[in-house]
Amino acid sequence: GYVNFSLAVASPEMTGYSEPCRYWAYRDEQGSYNLFFWKLTTVRLLFVIVFEHVVLGVVKLIDIFIPDIPDSVQLRIDIDEIIANDILNDDDSIKKKFSSVGTNTVTRKEV
């Protein structure tokens, strides 16, 4: 059943019956919400906000402790970057590559 403080009273003038009617609501005799309703609503809202922040904190901690890229993949990416930089910085290999290509090409003036 219901606890007595959680039941509101509808006066006989509102219902048309000879005795007052009780219904579930946190209202006073005039029909407006009582103080307990506002306290309960505030506690519910605070619970939702705190719970949401706890969930966001746990998600952030998981994001911090579990890396996005595995160590083996990150190591391979670093090695590939070093190799690419070495190739691009090696002037002799670039000159040899472009000098052999340039001998067989046709220029615009010849066409």
Side-chain angles (χ1 to χ4, degrees):
Y2 292 103
V3 182
N4 195 26
F5 79 90
S6 67
L7 296 175
V9 177
S11 64
E13 296 87 33
M14 294 173 73
T15 61
Y17 294 111
S18 60
E19 51 189 62
C21 178
R22 305 218 22 141
Y23 61 97
W24 182 81
Y26 298 110
R27 297 181 180 267
D28 57 10
E29 291 80 22
Q30 290 80 27
S32 60
Y33 292 115
N34 60 12
L35 184 61
F36 182 77
F37 171 81
W38 295 112
K39 287 182 181 179
L40 182 64
T41 303
T42 303
V43 169
R44 287 176 178 171
L45 180 64
L46 285 174
F47 174 78
V48 168
I49 291 172
V50 168
F51 185 77
E52 177 257 342
H53 277 76
V54 167
V55 168
L56 287 177
V58 169
V59 167
K60 186 66 174 174
L61 285 174
I62 290 172
D63 189 37
I64 289 171
F65 288 119
I66 298 176
D68 292 336
I69 301 173
D71 291 337
S72 61
V73 174
Q74 185 63 45
L75 179 63
R76 188 63 199 170
I77 290 172
D78 293 341
I79 291 171
D80 288 345
E81 285 181 10
I82 292 170
I83 292 172
N85 286 334
D86 286 345
I87 291 172
L88 291 175
N89 290 332
D90 189 13
D91 291 335
D92 293 333
S93 65
I94 293 174
K95 288 177 184 176
K96 288 178 188 176
K97 183 177 180 181
F98 284 115
S99 65
S100 64
V101 172
T103 57
N104 296 331
T105 59
V106 177
T107 62
R108 282 186 179 261
K109 293 179 183 178
E110 295 175 2
V111 176

